[in-house]
Amino acid sequence: MNQEILWLGWTGLHMTPWKVIGMIGALMFGARWLVQFVASRRARKPVIPRLFWYMSIVGSLMTLSYFLFSAKQDAVGVIQNLFPAFTALYSLRLDIRHRGWKRDRAGH
């Protein structure tokens, strides 16, 4: 998983499967704010849709796995992604308990 992906060589970037996982995780973790923005704009009030928590968890875990299992093995990155993953899991649990499992609408 730490071998360079040769067919991505045209980009000029040294890309490995772990780096791709880490980048997708970072993009997902950042894109959750776009999801929250769109949901709040539609509701005309601040809301956090359940998708926000799912994206937080998946993005954090993907980025965490990059820092844990790639050649990078960076303790700062592990800590930086461990706490958001825990917080998002806890918030998702509260959201499900409060609104029920099938209630995915943030404004209801």
Side-chain angles (χ1 to χ4, degrees):
M1 290 281 285
N2 289 313
Q3 297 294 322
E4 184 174 1
I5 302 171
L6 297 177
W7 60 269
L8 287 176
W10 63 271
T11 64
L13 301 172
H14 173 73
M15 298 296 287
T16 66
W18 277 122
K19 192 175 277 189
V20 171
I21 289 169
M23 290 180 76
I24 291 170
L27 289 170
M28 184 174 295
F29 194 76
R32 68 198 173 114
W33 292 109
L34 181 61
V35 168
Q36 193 270 337
F37 172 79
V38 170
S40 294
R41 187 163 169 115
R42 285 182 181 162
R44 297 181 187 228
K45 64 180 181 179
V47 294
I48 300 178
R50 191 167 292 165
L51 180 59
F52 179 91
W53 300 121
Y54 289 133
M55 291 176 76
S56 297
I57 293 165
V58 172
S60 288
L61 291 178
M62 287 177 77
T63 310
L64 178 64
S65 67
Y66 166 71
F67 284 111
L68 277 174
F69 303 119
S70 74
K72 190 84 163 163
Q73 295 190 347
D74 183 5
V76 174
V78 170
I79 292 170
Q80 183 179 2
N81 288 283
L82 186 61
F83 293 117
F86 171 77
T87 304
L89 280 166
Y90 179 74
S91 296
L92 177 61
R93 181 175 166 256
L94 289 177
D95 185 58
I96 290 169
R97 187 183 323 161
H98 176 71
R99 292 189 298 172
W101 183 254
K102 300 209 180 221
R103 301 273 326 256
D104 194 27
R105 304 264 334 204
H108 298 230

